Amino acid sequence: MTAVTDQDPTEHADQPDDDGHKAAGTTDRSAPGGERATRTDSAETWDDGLIARRVNETAEGDRFPMTDSRSTAPPTVTPLVYEGSLRSRLEALRQLVGLSRTRLDSRTLSQAGRVLDEASARRRLSGQHTVVAIAGATGSGKSQLFNALAGVTISETGVRRPTTAAPIACSWSDGGAGLIERLGIPPRLRRRPLPTGDSESPLRGLVLIDLPDHDSAAVQHRRHVDRILALVDAVIWVVDPEKYADAVLHERYLRPMAAHAEVMFVVLNQIDRLPGEAAEQVLDDLRRLLDEDGIALGEYGEPGATVLALSALTGDGVGELRETLGQFVSERGAANRRISADVDIAAARLWPVYATQRRTGLSEQAREEFSDRLADAVGATAAGEAAERAWLRNANRACGTPWLRLWRWYQDRGEPTTGRLPGRTQADEETTARQRVEQAVRTVADRASAGLPVPWAQAVREAAVRGSQGLPEALDELTVRAGVPTGRPPRPGWWPVAVLVQASMTILQFLGGLWLLGQIIGVVSPNLGVPVLLMVIGIVGGPLIEWSCRMAARGPARRYGMEAERRLREAASGCGRARVLDPVAAELLRYREVREQYARVVGAGR
């Protein structure tokens, strides 16, 4: 029985159709068993001038339907269900693309996006069918093999090149119409195989696609091949003894598709043309070339490509291919393996923009150094020293002798108010401070981006630069607000006692001096011992008390200076953290998130 089309049966057999197909002639050599079928001009006419033919012995009611649309009731289609690990990888890839859209260009993510789109589209279609494409070079005999598997002349064969101008589909069971429509094959190019009489065909669930020649001179033919190869579940590569080592085949198709080895068949056709053991020698050389292409061979039970030798013309080896193909289709795992291989390829192409061999991020030491640089830029150390000096100066003024205080007052008349930091108004100081801030930002950005892939390193540096804008001005404001407080520093509790004792020493000096003056003018009776003793005690005790207070004030003054320095450092560090470190950390966190998703995409499949 032969395939039936929906074209007008009155069309002439020798007229080509829109796709360039034409009647194969009056003799058909590709029928099963190599029989020759002769067609008369009147009795055996072609249905559509394309492929199918009508046989007089076939009754009208026994014709096999051309497409699923001829069925009386639409078949129930069971959608494809992906395996758990593949679902996890696809979800991770989806998350990866979503997190990366603002950091990577669309060209970088295009392959991953296409894989997600095709996986989503394939999941909605039948999971009980396996779409297998037959691809090959001009004259390799792929259409002959297509007809041999179908058991009927469906795809035209002949010496004219290219013979196959458009992809042709042959479905062994109902329910695969959606898959064929996804390939863009119109109904007039959809066929059914020759019924075998078995209730369950060994190829049930197979949708076989005969592709145009991949090396065709017609650009449209090559476009058909490239488009459909990206959509089918598996592919049968048909090579012949003359072109099996063709560079175009290996470099353009086989090598880039090495990851799809588990859904790939490589068939050496036309072995009937090879004498003796030449077929085995060519087959071994073909295996060698496939190994060089990186294609794993499915030998000794290992997963990989299936390599066979056959002759579509004589039928030698076709049965083995049909049996292997039937087992392959019955497993219903080709779609999962195909999508999984697509994910592997997409992940491999994304490796340069996600992978790194070193630990990334900002260490605590880098953060501290950045804070120290900002503290130096605002003069935190100098501010602390100034606060310490101010505290000591106030202690000396409070506890010093009146004569020393008077002298110091005279010296300090031209100095700024005690405790106030001099304003950074000089141009050179402002320039130096700005340069220090810029240097600190560059350093922390370089350390944070070290080891990152180029797009993420660039994103980290851009985040640091954005945060550094206005940072010097903000630090200047913080210097004024968080610097040493204006006015006098706080006094400890022992200061009043020291001031009282110092005042007593001054009083003793005055009493001793008045006593001696009274003795000189004769008001007081002469007695040099007591007034001299009082004056000596006051003169010696005053500096001694001042020195003791100065020693006692060093500790509080140092703590006061350190507190002032700490406040300024914390203020500068907080400003730098909010403006620079936090945005940089956010970029690093985003990278860690996408790195984790990428690890799920890659790791789950290895």
Side-chain angles (χ1 to χ4, degrees):
M1 299 180 66
T2 58
V4 179
T5 70
D6 58 353
Q7 302 292 326
D8 187 355
T10 62
E11 293 184 0
H12 295 291
D14 58 350
Q15 294 179 347
D17 73 338
D18 294 338
D19 294 287
H21 289 77
K22 189 176 179 181
T26 60
T27 303
D28 181 12
R29 291 183 173 82
S30 60
E35 298 179 358
R36 300 169 58 90
T38 304
R39 176 174 59 85
T40 65
D41 292 338
S42 59
E44 296 182 6
T45 59
W46 290 90
D47 274 355
D48 56 0
L50 271 174
I51 307 157
R53 59 191 174 86
R54 181 183 301 159
V55 180
N56 288 337
E57 292 80 8
T58 302
E60 180 72 17
D62 294 334
R63 293 177 184 173
F64 211 71
M66 183 187 71
T67 64
D68 294 340
S69 61
R70 298 292 184 89
S71 301
T72 57
T76 302
V77 177
T78 303
L80 176 66
V81 178
Y82 290 136
E83 299 174 352
S85 60
L86 180 56
R87 287 199 305 270
S88 175
R89 297 181 70 195
L90 289 172
E91 179 60 27
L93 185 61
R94 186 174 292 106
Q95 294 287 339
L96 183 67
V97 172
L99 291 170
S100 305
R101 289 194 186 278
T102 58
R103 299 297 179 268
L104 304 178
D105 58 90
S106 58
R107 180 180 299 180
T108 303
L109 297 174
S110 60
Q111 175 72 7
R114 189 193 67 80
V115 170
L116 291 173
D117 292 341
E118 298 302 339
S120 178
R122 183 64 181 90
R123 183 177 56 84
R124 292 191 293 267
L125 300 176
S126 173
Q128 304 301 312
H129 289 76
T130 301
V131 184
V132 181
I134 296 184
T138 303
S140 61
K142 57 182 178 57
S143 295
Q144 257 186 346
L145 180 60
F146 183 82
N147 295 334
L149 290 174
V152 62
T153 303
I154 292 180
S155 188
E156 179 188 359
T157 62
V159 296
R160 180 175 59 87
R161 298 289 180 261
T163 304
T164 305
I168 303 169
C170 181
S171 178
W172 267 255
S173 60
D174 296 337
L179 291 168
I180 302 176
E181 290 173 1
R182 177 170 175 249
L183 302 180
I185 300 177
R188 59 188 176 84
L189 296 178
R190 305 178 191 177
R191 303 292 181 265
R192 280 296 184 86
L194 182 69
T196 60
D198 300 334
S199 58
E200 288 291 334
S201 170
L203 297 180
R204 180 175 179 80
L206 172 65
V207 178
L208 195 62
I209 311 296
D210 184 20
L211 297 179
D213 303 332
H214 69 75
D215 60 349
S216 172
V219 177
Q220 187 63 27
H221 295 182
R222 298 197 301 270
R223 289 177 179 173
H224 279 312
V225 173
D226 295 343
R227 177 179 58 84
I228 293 181
L229 284 179
L231 300 176
V232 297
D233 300 328
V235 59
I236 299 175
W237 287 103
V238 181
V239 298
D240 61 81
E242 294 180 356
K243 294 184 179 180
Y244 73 92
D246 182 43
V248 174
L249 171 65
H250 289 270
E251 294 177 5
R252 184 176 179 182
Y253 293 102
L254 294 180
R255 196 167 299 164
M257 295 181 64
H260 297 87
E262 294 187 43
V263 291
M264 187 184 300
F265 296 79
V266 182
V267 174
L268 176 63
N269 192 16
Q270 303 175 7
I271 60 173
D272 56 295
R273 297 168 51 190
L274 298 174
E277 298 180 355
E280 287 297 328
Q281 295 175 357
V282 173
L283 196 62
D284 290 341
D285 193 47
L286 175 60
R287 290 192 179 97
R288 178 187 62 80
L289 293 175
L290 295 175
D291 183 67
E292 292 178 356
D293 291 334
I295 297 177
L297 302 181
E299 300 176 341
Y300 311 107
E302 298 178 357
T306 300
V307 182
L308 297 173
L310 55 81
S311 173
L313 180 63
T314 64
D316 184 18
V318 175
E320 181 183 359
L321 174 61
R322 184 181 288 109
E323 180 181 353
T324 304
L325 193 59
Q327 182 179 357
F328 178 80
V329 172
S330 65
E331 293 174 356
R332 305 287 189 264
N336 276 268
R337 292 196 289 269
R338 167 62 196 256
I339 297 298
S340 180
D342 288 342
V343 173
D344 288 339
I345 293 176
R349 292 184 179 180
L350 291 175
W351 173 266
V353 297
Y354 291 114
T356 178
Q357 300 295 335
R358 55 180 295 181
R359 185 175 181 179
T360 59
L362 275 178
S363 63
E364 190 63 28
Q365 180 181 359
R367 293 174 180 271
E368 292 178 357
E369 290 182 2
F370 176 69
S371 299
D372 291 340
R373 289 175 182 270
L374 293 185
D376 292 340
V378 300
T381 302
E385 294 175 353
E388 182 178 355
R389 288 194 301 268
W391 207 98
L392 288 174
R393 188 181 299 113
N394 287 326
N396 293 335
R397 288 174 177 174
C399 303
T401 62
W403 328 114
L404 187 58
R405 290 169 60 186
L406 183 61
W407 172 252
R408 288 174 178 167
W409 170 83
Y410 175 77
Q411 288 182 329
D412 296 342
R413 283 188 304 173
E415 294 184 2
T417 305
T418 304
R420 187 185 299 273
L421 285 177
R424 296 171 58 194
T425 57
Q426 298 182 7
D428 56 345
E429 292 183 359
E430 292 180 358
T431 302
T432 302
R434 182 179 295 273
Q435 290 175 349
R436 289 179 178 177
V437 172
E438 293 175 353
Q439 179 63 27
V441 173
R442 284 196 300 269
T443 301
V444 75
D446 291 342
R447 291 192 176 184
S449 60
L452 291 177
V454 174
W456 301 99
Q458 182 65 23
V460 167
R461 285 192 289 267
E462 290 177 355
V465 171
R466 286 194 303 268
S468 65
Q469 296 176 356
L471 181 58
E473 291 77 8
L475 291 175
D476 285 339
E477 295 178 2
L478 285 176
T479 302
V480 176
R481 294 199 307 267
V484 180
T486 59
R488 297 181 180 276
R491 299 181 177 182
W494 52 266
W495 275 24
V497 177
V499 171
L500 180 59
V501 174
Q502 189 65 267
S504 301
M505 295 298 102
T506 304
I507 293 174
L508 290 178
Q509 294 180 46
F510 273 103
L511 289 177
L514 291 176
W515 197 331
L516 288 176
L517 182 59
Q519 291 183 8
I520 293 173
I521 63 176
V523 178
V524 182
S525 60
N527 186 1
L528 295 177
V530 176
V532 171
L533 180 61
L534 293 177
M535 291 184 66
V536 170
I537 292 174
I539 293 172
V540 175
L544 182 61
I545 293 174
E546 180 180 358
W547 179 83
S548 301
C549 292
R550 184 180 301 173
M551 294 296 103
R554 284 186 175 180
R558 180 56 181 165
R559 289 191 294 270
Y560 181 73
M562 293 178 62
E563 178 65 19
E565 180 180 354
R566 182 191 62 80
R567 287 197 306 269
L568 195 53
R569 282 183 177 275
E570 289 182 352
S573 176
C575 183
R577 181 174 59 253
R579 289 176 173 265
V580 177
L581 293 184
D582 287 350
V584 168
E587 290 297 333
L588 292 174
L589 179 61
R590 180 185 290 270
Y591 171 73
R592 282 195 290 269
E593 289 177 357
V594 300
R595 188 71 176 86
E596 291 174 0
Q597 296 298 334
Y598 182 76
R600 288 178 57 195
V601 173
V602 176
R606 298 185 178 180

